[in-house]
Coordinates of all heavy atoms in Angstrom, one line a residue:
M1 N 47.2 -33.5 -73.8 CA 47.0 -32.4 -72.9 C 45.5 -32.1 -72.9 O 44.8 -32.0 -73.9 CB 47.8 -31.2 -73.4 CG 47.7 -30.0 -72.5 SD 48.8 -28.8 -73.1 CE 49.8 -28.6 -71.7
A2 N 45.0 -31.9 -71.6 CA 43.6 -31.6 -71.5 C 43.3 -30.1 -71.8 O 44.1 -29.2 -71.6 CB 43.2 -31.8 -70.0
R3 N 42.2 -30.0 -72.5 CA 41.8 -28.7 -72.9 C 40.9 -28.0 -71.8 O 40.0 -28.6 -71.3 CB 41.0 -28.8 -74.2 CG 40.6 -27.5 -74.8 CD 40.1 -27.7 -76.3 NE 39.8 -26.5 -76.8 CZ 38.5 -26.1 -77.1 NH1 37.5 -26.9 -76.9 NH2 38.3 -24.9 -77.5
I4 N 41.2 -26.7 -71.6 CA 40.4 -26.0 -70.6 C 39.2 -25.4 -71.2 O 39.3 -24.7 -72.2 CB 41.3 -24.9 -69.9 CG1 42.5 -25.5 -69.2 CG2 40.5 -24.0 -69.0 CD1 43.5 -24.5 -68.7
D5 N 38.1 -25.7 -70.6 CA 36.8 -25.1 -71.1 C 36.6 -23.7 -70.6 O 36.5 -23.5 -69.4 CB 35.7 -26.0 -70.7 CG 34.3 -25.6 -71.3 OD1 34.3 -24.6 -72.0 OD2 33.3 -26.2 -70.9
P6 N 36.6 -22.7 -71.5 CA 36.5 -21.3 -71.0 C 35.2 -21.1 -70.2 O 35.1 -20.3 -69.3 CB 36.5 -20.5 -72.3 CG 36.9 -21.4 -73.4 CD 36.7 -22.8 -72.9
T7 N 34.1 -21.8 -70.6 CA 32.8 -21.6 -69.9 C 33.0 -22.1 -68.4 O 32.5 -21.5 -67.5 CB 31.7 -22.4 -70.6 OG1 31.7 -22.0 -71.9 CG2 30.4 -22.2 -69.9
E8 N 33.7 -23.2 -68.2 CA 33.9 -23.8 -66.9 C 34.8 -22.8 -66.1 O 34.5 -22.6 -64.9 CB 34.6 -25.1 -67.0 CG 34.7 -25.8 -65.7 CD 35.3 -27.2 -65.8 OE1 34.9 -28.0 -66.8 OE2 36.2 -27.6 -65.0
T9 N 35.8 -22.2 -66.7 CA 36.7 -21.3 -66.0 C 35.9 -20.1 -65.5 O 36.0 -19.6 -64.4 CB 37.8 -20.8 -66.9 OG1 38.5 -22.0 -67.3 CG2 38.7 -19.9 -66.2
V10 N 35.0 -19.6 -66.3 CA 34.2 -18.4 -66.0 C 33.2 -18.8 -64.8 O 33.1 -18.0 -63.9 CB 33.4 -17.9 -67.2 CG1 32.3 -16.9 -66.8 CG2 34.3 -17.3 -68.2
M11 N 32.7 -20.0 -64.9 CA 31.7 -20.4 -63.9 C 32.5 -20.6 -62.5 O 32.0 -20.2 -61.5 CB 31.1 -21.7 -64.3 CG 30.0 -21.5 -65.3 SD 29.2 -23.1 -65.9 CE 28.7 -23.9 -64.4
N12 N 33.7 -21.2 -62.6 CA 34.5 -21.4 -61.4 C 34.8 -20.0 -60.8 O 34.8 -19.8 -59.6 CB 35.7 -22.2 -61.6 CG 35.4 -23.6 -61.8 OD1 34.4 -24.1 -61.4 ND2 36.3 -24.3 -62.5
T13 N 35.2 -19.1 -61.6 CA 35.6 -17.7 -61.2 C 34.4 -17.1 -60.5 O 34.5 -16.5 -59.5 CB 36.1 -16.9 -62.3 OG1 37.2 -17.5 -62.9 CG2 36.5 -15.5 -61.9
A14 N 33.2 -17.2 -61.2 CA 32.0 -16.6 -60.6 C 31.6 -17.2 -59.3 O 31.2 -16.5 -58.3 CB 30.8 -16.7 -61.6
E15 N 31.8 -18.5 -59.2 CA 31.5 -19.2 -57.9 C 32.4 -18.8 -56.8 O 32.0 -18.5 -55.7 CB 31.6 -20.7 -58.1 CG 30.4 -21.4 -58.8 CD 30.6 -22.9 -58.9 OE1 31.3 -23.5 -58.1 OE2 30.1 -23.4 -59.9
E16 N 33.7 -18.7 -57.1 CA 34.7 -18.2 -56.1 C 34.4 -16.8 -55.7 O 34.5 -16.5 -54.5 CB 36.1 -18.3 -56.7 CG 36.6 -19.7 -56.8 CD 36.7 -20.4 -55.5 OE1 37.2 -19.8 -54.5 OE2 36.3 -21.6 -55.5
L17 N 34.0 -15.9 -56.6 CA 33.7 -14.5 -56.3 C 32.5 -14.5 -55.4 O 32.4 -13.8 -54.4 CB 33.5 -13.7 -57.6 CG 33.2 -12.2 -57.4 CD1 34.3 -11.6 -56.5 CD2 33.0 -11.6 -58.7
K18 N 31.5 -15.3 -55.7 CA 30.2 -15.4 -54.9 C 30.6 -15.8 -53.5 O 30.1 -15.3 -52.5 CB 29.2 -16.3 -55.5 CG 27.9 -16.3 -54.7 CD 26.9 -17.2 -55.3 CE 25.6 -17.2 -54.6 NZ 25.6 -17.0 -53.2
K19 N 31.4 -16.9 -53.3 CA 31.8 -17.3 -52.0 C 32.5 -16.2 -51.2 O 32.3 -16.1 -50.0 CB 32.7 -18.6 -52.2 CG 32.0 -19.8 -52.6 CD 33.0 -21.0 -52.7 CE 32.3 -22.2 -53.2 NZ 33.3 -23.3 -53.4
L20 N 33.4 -15.5 -51.9 CA 34.1 -14.4 -51.2 C 33.2 -13.4 -50.8 O 33.2 -12.9 -49.6 CB 35.2 -13.8 -52.2 CG 35.9 -12.6 -51.7 CD1 36.7 -12.9 -50.4 CD2 36.8 -12.0 -52.8
L21 N 32.3 -13.0 -51.7 CA 31.3 -11.9 -51.3 C 30.4 -12.4 -50.2 O 30.1 -11.6 -49.3 CB 30.5 -11.5 -52.5 CG 31.3 -10.7 -53.6 CD1 30.4 -10.5 -54.8 CD2 31.7 -9.4 -53.0
D22 N 30.0 -13.6 -50.2 CA 29.1 -14.2 -49.1 C 29.9 -14.2 -47.8 O 29.3 -13.8 -46.8 CB 28.7 -15.6 -49.5 CG 27.6 -15.6 -50.6 OD1 27.0 -14.6 -50.9 OD2 27.4 -16.7 -51.1
A23 N 31.1 -14.6 -47.8 CA 31.9 -14.6 -46.6 C 32.1 -13.2 -46.0 O 32.0 -12.9 -44.8 CB 33.3 -15.2 -46.8
L24 N 32.4 -12.2 -46.9 CA 32.5 -10.8 -46.5 C 31.2 -10.3 -45.9 O 31.2 -9.6 -44.9 CB 33.0 -10.0 -47.7 CG 34.4 -10.2 -48.1 CD1 34.7 -9.4 -49.4 CD2 35.4 -9.8 -47.0
A25 N 30.1 -10.6 -46.6 CA 28.8 -10.2 -46.1 C 28.5 -10.7 -44.7 O 28.0 -10.0 -43.8 CB 27.7 -10.6 -47.0
T26 N 28.9 -12.0 -44.5 CA 28.7 -12.6 -43.2 C 29.5 -11.9 -42.1 O 29.0 -11.6 -41.0 CB 29.0 -14.1 -43.2 OG1 28.2 -14.8 -44.1 CG2 28.9 -14.8 -41.9
Q27 N 30.8 -11.7 -42.4 CA 31.7 -11.0 -41.5 C 31.1 -9.6 -41.2 O 31.1 -9.1 -40.0 CB 33.1 -10.8 -42.0 CG 33.8 -12.1 -42.0 CD 35.2 -12.0 -42.6 OE1 35.6 -10.9 -43.1 NE2 36.0 -13.1 -42.7
R28 N 30.7 -8.9 -42.2 CA 30.1 -7.5 -42.0 C 28.9 -7.6 -41.1 O 28.8 -6.8 -40.2 CB 29.7 -7.0 -43.4 CG 29.1 -5.6 -43.4 CD 28.7 -5.2 -44.8 NE 28.1 -3.9 -44.8 CZ 26.8 -3.7 -44.7 NH1 26.0 -4.8 -44.6 NH2 26.2 -2.5 -44.7
D29 N 28.0 -8.5 -41.4 CA 26.8 -8.6 -40.5 C 27.1 -8.9 -39.1 O 26.5 -8.3 -38.2 CB 25.8 -9.7 -41.1 CG 25.2 -9.3 -42.4 OD1 25.3 -8.1 -42.8 OD2 24.7 -10.2 -43.1
E30 N 28.1 -9.8 -38.8 CA 28.5 -10.1 -37.5 C 29.1 -8.9 -36.8 O 28.8 -8.6 -35.6 CB 29.5 -11.2 -37.5 CG 29.0 -12.6 -37.8 CD 30.0 -13.6 -38.0 OE1 31.2 -13.4 -38.0 OE2 29.6 -14.8 -38.3
L31 N 29.9 -8.1 -37.5 CA 30.4 -6.9 -36.9 C 29.4 -5.8 -36.6 O 29.5 -5.1 -35.6 CB 31.5 -6.3 -37.9 CG 32.8 -7.1 -37.9 CD1 33.7 -6.5 -39.0 CD2 33.5 -7.0 -36.6
I32 N 28.4 -5.7 -37.5 CA 27.3 -4.8 -37.2 C 26.6 -5.1 -35.9 O 26.3 -4.3 -35.1 CB 26.3 -4.8 -38.4 CG1 26.9 -4.1 -39.6 CG2 25.0 -4.1 -38.0 CD1 26.1 -4.2 -40.9
V33 N 26.3 -6.4 -35.7 CA 25.6 -6.9 -34.5 C 26.5 -6.6 -33.3 O 26.0 -6.1 -32.3 CB 25.3 -8.4 -34.6 CG1 24.8 -8.9 -33.2 CG2 24.2 -8.6 -35.7
K34 N 27.8 -6.9 -33.4 CA 28.7 -6.7 -32.3 C 28.8 -5.2 -31.9 O 28.9 -4.8 -30.8 CB 30.1 -7.3 -32.6 CG 30.1 -8.8 -32.5 CD 31.5 -9.3 -32.7 CE 31.5 -10.9 -32.6 NZ 32.9 -11.4 -32.8
A35 N 28.9 -4.4 -33.0 CA 29.0 -3.0 -32.7 C 27.8 -2.4 -32.1 O 27.8 -1.6 -31.2 CB 29.3 -2.2 -34.1
H36 N 26.6 -2.9 -32.5 CA 25.4 -2.5 -31.9 C 25.3 -2.9 -30.4 O 24.9 -2.0 -29.6 CB 24.2 -3.1 -32.7 CG 22.9 -2.7 -32.1 ND1 22.3 -1.4 -32.2 CD2 22.0 -3.4 -31.4 CE1 21.2 -1.4 -31.6 NE2 20.9 -2.6 -31.1
L37 N 25.7 -4.1 -30.1 CA 25.7 -4.6 -28.7 C 26.7 -3.8 -27.9 O 26.4 -3.4 -26.8 CB 26.0 -6.0 -28.7 CG 24.9 -7.0 -29.2 CD1 25.4 -8.4 -29.2 CD2 23.6 -6.8 -28.5
A38 N 27.8 -3.5 -28.4 CA 28.8 -2.7 -27.7 C 28.3 -1.3 -27.4 O 28.6 -0.8 -26.4 CB 30.2 -2.7 -28.5
R39 N 27.6 -0.7 -28.4 CA 27.1 0.6 -28.2 C 26.0 0.6 -27.1 O 26.0 1.5 -26.2 CB 26.4 1.1 -29.5 CG 25.8 2.4 -29.5 CD 25.3 2.9 -30.8 NE 24.4 3.9 -30.6 CZ 23.1 3.9 -31.0 NH1 22.6 2.8 -31.5 NH2 22.3 4.9 -30.7
L40 N 25.2 -0.4 -27.1 CA 24.2 -0.5 -26.0 C 24.8 -0.7 -24.6 O 24.4 0.0 -23.6 CB 23.2 -1.7 -26.3 CG 22.3 -1.5 -27.5 CD1 21.5 -2.8 -27.7 CD2 21.4 -0.3 -27.3
E41 N 25.9 -1.5 -24.6 CA 26.6 -1.7 -23.3 C 27.3 -0.4 -22.9 O 27.3 -0.1 -21.7 CB 27.6 -2.8 -23.5 CG 27.0 -4.2 -23.6 CD 28.0 -5.3 -23.8 OE1 29.2 -5.0 -23.8 OE2 27.6 -6.4 -24.1
A42 N 27.8 0.3 -23.8 CA 28.5 1.6 -23.5 C 27.5 2.6 -23.0 O 27.8 3.3 -22.0 CB 29.3 2.1 -24.7
Q43 N 26.3 2.6 -23.6 CA 25.3 3.6 -23.1 C 24.8 3.2 -21.7 O 24.6 4.1 -20.9 CB 24.1 3.5 -24.1 CG 24.3 4.2 -25.4 CD 23.1 4.1 -26.3 OE1 22.4 3.1 -26.3 NE2 23.0 5.1 -27.2
D44 N 24.7 1.9 -21.4 CA 24.3 1.5 -20.1 C 25.4 1.9 -19.1 O 25.0 2.4 -18.0 CB 24.1 0.0 -20.0 CG 22.8 -0.5 -20.7 OD1 22.0 0.4 -21.0 OD2 22.7 -1.7 -21.0
E45 N 26.6 1.7 -19.4 CA 27.7 2.0 -18.5 C 27.8 3.5 -18.3 O 28.0 4.0 -17.2 CB 29.0 1.5 -19.1 CG 30.3 1.8 -18.3 CD 30.4 1.0 -17.0 OE1 29.6 0.2 -16.7 OE2 31.4 1.3 -16.3
W46 N 27.6 4.3 -19.4 CA 27.6 5.7 -19.3 C 26.5 6.2 -18.4 O 26.7 7.1 -17.5 CB 27.4 6.4 -20.7 CG 27.5 7.8 -20.7 CD1 26.4 8.7 -20.7 CD2 28.6 8.7 -20.6 NE1 26.9 10.0 -20.6 CE2 28.2 10.0 -20.6 CE3 30.0 8.4 -20.6 CZ2 29.1 11.1 -20.5 CZ3 30.9 9.4 -20.6 CH2 30.4 10.7 -20.5
G47 N 25.3 5.7 -18.5 CA 24.2 6.1 -17.6 C 24.5 5.8 -16.2 O 24.2 6.6 -15.3
R48 N 25.1 4.6 -15.9 CA 25.4 4.3 -14.5 C 26.5 5.2 -14.0 O 26.3 5.7 -12.8 CB 25.9 2.8 -14.5 CG 26.2 2.3 -13.1 CD 26.7 0.8 -13.2 NE 28.0 0.8 -13.7 CZ 29.1 1.1 -13.1 NH1 29.1 1.5 -11.9 NH2 30.3 1.0 -13.7
L49 N 27.5 5.5 -14.8 CA 28.5 6.4 -14.3 C 28.0 7.9 -14.1 O 28.4 8.5 -13.2 CB 29.7 6.5 -15.3 CG 30.5 5.2 -15.4 CD1 31.4 5.2 -16.6 CD2 31.2 4.9 -14.1
E50 N 27.0 8.3 -14.9 CA 26.4 9.6 -14.8 C 25.7 9.7 -13.4 O 25.7 10.7 -12.7 CB 25.5 9.9 -15.9 CG 26.3 10.3 -17.2 CD 27.1 11.6 -17.1 OE1 26.5 12.6 -16.9 OE2 28.3 11.5 -17.1
Q51 N 25.0 8.6 -13.1 CA 24.3 8.6 -11.8 C 25.2 8.6 -10.7 O 25.0 9.4 -9.7 CB 23.4 7.3 -11.7 CG 22.2 7.3 -12.6 CD 21.4 6.0 -12.5 OE1 21.9 5.0 -12.0 NE2 20.2 6.0 -13.0
Q52 N 26.3 7.9 -10.8 CA 27.3 7.9 -9.7 C 27.9 9.3 -9.6 O 28.2 9.7 -8.4 CB 28.4 6.8 -10.0 CG 27.9 5.4 -9.8 CD 29.0 4.4 -10.1 OE1 30.0 4.7 -10.8 NE2 28.9 3.2 -9.6
L53 N 28.2 9.9 -10.7 CA 28.8 11.2 -10.6 C 27.8 12.2 -10.0 O 28.3 13.1 -9.2 CB 29.2 11.7 -12.0 CG 29.9 13.1 -12.1 CD1 31.2 13.1 -11.3 CD2 30.2 13.4 -13.6
E54 N 26.6 12.1 -10.3 CA 25.6 13.0 -9.7 C 25.5 12.8 -8.2 O 25.4 13.7 -7.4 CB 24.2 12.9 -10.3 CG 23.2 13.8 -9.8 CD 23.6 15.3 -10.0 OE1 24.3 15.7 -11.0 OE2 23.2 16.1 -9.1
Q55 N 25.5 11.5 -7.8 CA 25.5 11.2 -6.3 C 26.7 11.8 -5.6 O 26.7 12.3 -4.5 CB 25.4 9.7 -6.1 CG 24.1 9.1 -6.5 CD 24.1 7.6 -6.5 OE1 25.2 7.0 -6.3 NE2 23.0 7.0 -6.7
L56 N 27.9 11.7 -6.3 CA 29.1 12.3 -5.8 C 29.0 13.8 -5.6 O 29.4 14.3 -4.6 CB 30.3 11.9 -6.6 CG 31.7 12.3 -6.2 CD1 32.0 11.8 -4.8 CD2 32.8 11.9 -7.1
R57 N 28.4 14.4 -6.6 CA 28.2 15.9 -6.5 C 27.3 16.2 -5.3 O 27.6 17.2 -4.6 CB 27.6 16.4 -7.8 CG 28.6 16.5 -8.9 CD 27.9 17.1 -10.2 NE 28.9 17.2 -11.2 CZ 28.6 16.8 -12.5 NH1 27.4 16.4 -12.8 NH2 29.5 16.9 -13.4
E58 N 26.3 15.5 -5.1 CA 25.4 15.7 -4.0 C 26.1 15.5 -2.7 O 26.0 16.3 -1.7 CB 24.2 14.8 -4.1 CG 23.2 15.1 -5.2 CD 22.2 14.0 -5.4 OE1 22.1 13.1 -4.7 OE2 21.4 14.2 -6.4
K59 N 26.9 14.5 -2.6 CA 27.7 14.2 -1.4 C 28.7 15.4 -1.2 O 29.0 15.7 0.0 CB 28.4 12.9 -1.4 CG 27.5 11.7 -1.3 CD 28.3 10.4 -1.4 CE 27.3 9.2 -1.4 NZ 28.0 7.9 -1.6
G60 N 29.3 15.9 -2.2 CA 30.2 17.0 -2.1 C 29.5 18.2 -1.5 O 30.2 18.9 -0.7
A61 N 28.3 18.5 -1.9 CA 27.6 19.6 -1.3 C 27.4 19.4 0.2 O 27.5 20.3 1.0 CB 26.2 19.8 -2.0
V62 N 27.1 18.2 0.6 CA 26.9 17.8 2.0 C 28.2 18.0 2.7 O 28.3 18.5 3.8 CB 26.3 16.4 2.2 CG1 26.4 16.0 3.7 CG2 24.9 16.3 1.6
A63 N 29.3 17.5 2.1 CA 30.6 17.5 2.8 C 31.1 19.0 3.0 O 31.8 19.2 4.0 CB 31.7 16.8 1.9
A64 N 30.6 19.9 2.2 CA 31.0 21.3 2.4 C 30.4 21.8 3.7 O 31.0 22.8 4.3 CB 30.6 22.1 1.2
S65 N 29.4 21.2 4.2 CA 28.7 21.8 5.4 C 29.1 21.0 6.7 O 28.6 21.4 7.7 CB 27.2 21.7 5.2 OG 26.8 20.3 5.2
V66 N 30.0 20.0 6.6 CA 30.4 19.3 7.8 C 31.9 19.6 8.1 O 32.6 20.1 7.3 CB 30.1 17.8 7.7 CG1 28.6 17.5 7.6 CG2 30.9 17.2 6.6
T67 N 32.2 19.3 9.4 CA 33.6 19.6 9.8 C 34.2 18.4 10.5 O 33.5 17.5 10.8 CB 33.7 20.8 10.7 OG1 32.9 20.6 11.9 CG2 33.2 22.1 10.0
G68 N 35.5 18.5 10.8 CA 36.1 17.5 11.7 C 36.2 16.1 11.1 O 36.4 15.9 9.8
D69 N 36.0 15.1 11.9 CA 36.1 13.7 11.5 C 35.0 13.3 10.5 O 35.3 12.6 9.5 CB 35.9 12.8 12.7 CG 37.1 12.8 13.6 OD1 38.2 13.2 13.2 OD2 37.0 12.4 14.8
T70 N 33.9 13.9 10.6 CA 32.8 13.6 9.6 C 33.2 14.1 8.2 O 33.0 13.4 7.2 CB 31.5 14.3 10.0 OG1 31.1 13.9 11.3 CG2 30.4 14.0 9.1
A71 N 33.8 15.2 8.1 CA 34.3 15.8 6.8 C 35.3 14.9 6.3 O 35.3 14.6 5.0 CB 34.8 17.2 7.0
R72 N 36.3 14.4 7.1 CA 37.3 13.5 6.6 C 36.7 12.2 6.1 O 37.1 11.6 5.1 CB 38.4 13.2 7.7 CG 39.3 14.4 7.9 CD 40.5 14.1 8.8 NE 40.1 14.1 10.2 CZ 39.9 15.2 10.9 NH1 40.1 16.3 10.4 NH2 39.5 15.1 12.2
E73 N 35.7 11.7 6.8 CA 35.0 10.4 6.4 C 34.3 10.6 5.0 O 34.4 9.8 4.1 CB 34.1 9.9 7.4 CG 34.8 9.4 8.7 CD 33.8 9.2 9.8 OE1 32.6 9.3 9.6 OE2 34.3 8.9 10.9
V74 N 33.6 11.7 4.9 CA 32.9 12.0 3.7 C 33.9 12.2 2.5 O 33.7 11.7 1.4 CB 32.0 13.3 3.9 CG1 31.5 13.7 2.5 CG2 30.9 13.0 4.8
L75 N 35.0 12.9 2.8 CA 36.0 13.0 1.8 C 36.6 11.7 1.3 O 36.8 11.4 0.1 CB 37.1 14.0 2.2 CG 38.2 14.3 1.2 CD1 37.7 14.9 0.0 CD2 39.3 15.2 1.9
A76 N 36.9 10.8 2.3 CA 37.4 9.5 2.0 C 36.5 8.7 1.1 O 36.9 8.1 0.1 CB 37.8 8.7 3.2
A77 N 35.2 8.7 1.5 CA 34.2 8.0 0.7 C 34.1 8.6 -0.7 O 33.9 7.9 -1.7 CB 32.8 8.1 1.4
A78 N 34.1 10.0 -0.8 CA 34.1 10.6 -2.1 C 35.2 10.3 -3.0 O 35.1 10.1 -4.2 CB 34.0 12.1 -1.9
R79 N 36.4 10.2 -2.4 CA 37.6 9.8 -3.2 C 37.4 8.4 -3.7 O 37.7 8.1 -4.9 CB 38.8 9.8 -2.3 CG 39.4 11.2 -2.1 CD 40.7 11.2 -1.4 NE 41.2 12.5 -1.2 CZ 41.8 13.0 -0.1 NH1 42.0 12.2 0.9 NH2 42.2 14.2 -0.1
L80 N 36.9 7.4 -2.9 CA 36.7 6.1 -3.4 C 35.7 6.1 -4.5 O 35.9 5.4 -5.6 CB 36.2 5.2 -2.3 CG 37.2 4.8 -1.2 CD1 36.6 4.0 -0.1 CD2 38.4 4.0 -1.8
A81 N 34.6 6.8 -4.4 CA 33.6 6.9 -5.4 C 34.2 7.5 -6.7 O 33.9 7.1 -7.8 CB 32.4 7.7 -4.9
G82 N 34.9 8.6 -6.5 CA 35.6 9.2 -7.7 C 36.5 8.3 -8.4 O 36.6 8.3 -9.6
E83 N 37.3 7.5 -7.7 CA 38.2 6.5 -8.3 C 37.4 5.4 -9.1 O 37.8 5.0 -10.2 CB 39.0 5.8 -7.2 CG 40.1 6.8 -6.6 CD 40.7 6.2 -5.4 OE1 40.4 5.0 -5.0 OE2 41.6 6.9 -4.8
E84 N 36.2 5.0 -8.5 CA 35.4 4.0 -9.2 C 34.9 4.6 -10.5 O 34.9 4.0 -11.6 CB 34.2 3.6 -8.3 CG 33.4 2.6 -9.0 CD 32.2 2.1 -8.1 OE1 32.3 2.3 -6.9 OE2 31.3 1.6 -8.7
I85 N 34.4 5.9 -10.5 CA 33.9 6.5 -11.7 C 35.1 6.7 -12.7 O 34.9 6.4 -13.9 CB 33.3 7.9 -11.3 CG1 32.1 7.7 -10.5 CG2 33.0 8.7 -12.6 CD1 31.6 9.0 -9.8
A86 N 36.2 7.0 -12.2 CA 37.4 7.2 -13.2 C 37.7 5.8 -13.8 O 38.0 5.8 -15.0 CB 38.6 7.7 -12.4
R87 N 37.7 4.7 -13.1 CA 37.9 3.4 -13.7 C 36.8 3.1 -14.7 O 37.1 2.5 -15.7 CB 37.9 2.3 -12.6 CG 39.2 2.3 -11.8 CD 39.4 1.1 -10.9 NE 38.3 1.0 -9.9 CZ 38.2 1.6 -8.7 NH1 39.3 2.3 -8.3 NH2 37.2 1.4 -7.9
G88 N 35.6 3.5 -14.4 CA 34.5 3.3 -15.4 C 34.7 4.0 -16.6 O 34.5 3.5 -17.7
Y89 N 35.2 5.3 -16.5 CA 35.5 6.1 -17.7 C 36.6 5.4 -18.5 O 36.6 5.4 -19.7 CB 35.8 7.5 -17.3 CG 34.7 8.4 -16.9 CD1 34.9 9.5 -16.1 CD2 33.4 8.1 -17.3 CE1 33.8 10.3 -15.7 CE2 32.3 8.9 -16.9 CZ 32.5 10.0 -16.1 OH 31.5 10.8 -15.7
E90 N 37.6 4.9 -17.8 CA 38.7 4.3 -18.5 C 38.2 3.0 -19.2 O 38.7 2.8 -20.4 CB 39.8 4.0 -17.5 CG 41.1 3.4 -18.2 CD 41.7 4.4 -19.2 OE1 41.6 5.6 -19.0 OE2 42.3 3.9 -20.1
R91 N 37.4 2.2 -18.6 CA 36.8 1.1 -19.3 C 36.1 1.5 -20.6 O 36.3 0.8 -21.6 CB 35.9 0.3 -18.4 CG 36.5 -0.6 -17.4 CD 35.5 -1.5 -16.7 NE 34.4 -0.8 -16.1 CZ 34.3 -0.3 -14.9 NH1 35.4 -0.4 -14.1 NH2 33.3 0.3 -14.4
L92 N 35.3 2.5 -20.5 CA 34.6 3.0 -21.7 C 35.6 3.5 -22.7 O 35.4 3.2 -23.9 CB 33.7 4.2 -21.3 CG 32.3 3.8 -20.8 CD1 31.5 5.0 -20.3 CD2 31.5 3.1 -21.9
R93 N 36.6 4.2 -22.3 CA 37.6 4.7 -23.3 C 38.3 3.6 -24.0 O 38.4 3.6 -25.2 CB 38.6 5.6 -22.5 CG 39.7 6.2 -23.5 CD 40.7 7.1 -22.7 NE 40.0 8.3 -22.2 CZ 39.8 8.5 -20.9 NH1 40.3 7.7 -20.0 NH2 39.2 9.6 -20.5
K94 N 38.6 2.5 -23.3 CA 39.2 1.4 -23.9 C 38.3 0.6 -24.9 O 38.8 0.0 -25.8 CB 39.8 0.5 -22.8 CG 41.0 1.0 -22.1 CD 41.5 0.0 -21.1 CE 42.7 0.6 -20.4 NZ 43.2 -0.3 -19.4
S95 N 37.0 0.7 -24.6 CA 36.1 -0.1 -25.4 C 35.8 0.7 -26.7 O 35.2 0.1 -27.6 CB 34.8 -0.4 -24.6 OG 34.0 0.8 -24.5
L96 N 36.1 1.9 -26.8 CA 35.8 2.7 -28.0 C 36.9 2.6 -29.0 O 38.0 2.4 -28.8 CB 35.6 4.2 -27.6 CG 34.4 4.4 -26.7 CD1 34.4 5.9 -26.3 CD2 33.1 4.0 -27.3

């Protein structure tokens, strides 16, 4: 029967532990990069949506001063813009 060398067992255990820790560190680093990129993308999307919302508010102020067909057209355009903003907010919500 072959004899197990305790020094070799300790070395193998240490090597396995180092491999595990290295793999975990790599996964952690990859997730940090992905999270950072996702944060930047979310900030860009947020900024774009804020601009669209401000434009919609400005159009709303104009719509309050018009009547008839023009008011209906402005309202229809505002609804479309509002729906687009809502979809953008939903995309952001899902990404968080």
Side-chain angles (χ1 to χ4, degrees):
M1 182 177 236
R3 187 167 178 247
I4 299 175
D5 183 0
T7 305
E8 186 177 315
T9 302
V10 169
M11 287 176 52
N12 287 340
T13 301
E15 284 179 31
E16 288 298 317
L17 182 56
K18 183 180 180 330
K19 287 179 185 178
L20 173 62
L21 290 172
D22 288 346
L24 291 172
T26 299
Q27 287 178 359
R28 178 182 178 269
D29 292 345
E30 289 172 357
L31 286 172
I32 288 171
V33 170
K34 286 182 179 183
H36 178 71
L37 292 174
R39 181 175 161 243
L40 293 176
E41 288 174 8
Q43 285 177 332
D44 287 347
E45 178 74 1
W46 183 262
R48 188 181 66 77
L49 291 169
E50 286 295 296
Q51 287 177 346
Q52 288 179 340
L53 183 58
E54 185 56 34
Q55 290 171 355
L56 182 57
R57 286 183 178 135
E58 291 169 5
K59 288 178 184 177
V62 171
S65 66
V66 296
T67 59
D69 289 341
T70 304
R72 283 189 284 281
E73 291 171 8
V74 170
L75 180 59
R79 281 186 180 140
L80 289 175
E83 290 168 2
E84 182 180 340
I85 294 168
R87 284 191 300 273
Y89 286 155
E90 187 58 30
R91 281 191 305 272
L92 274 174
R93 184 177 291 113
K94 287 181 180 179
S95 73
L96 299 177

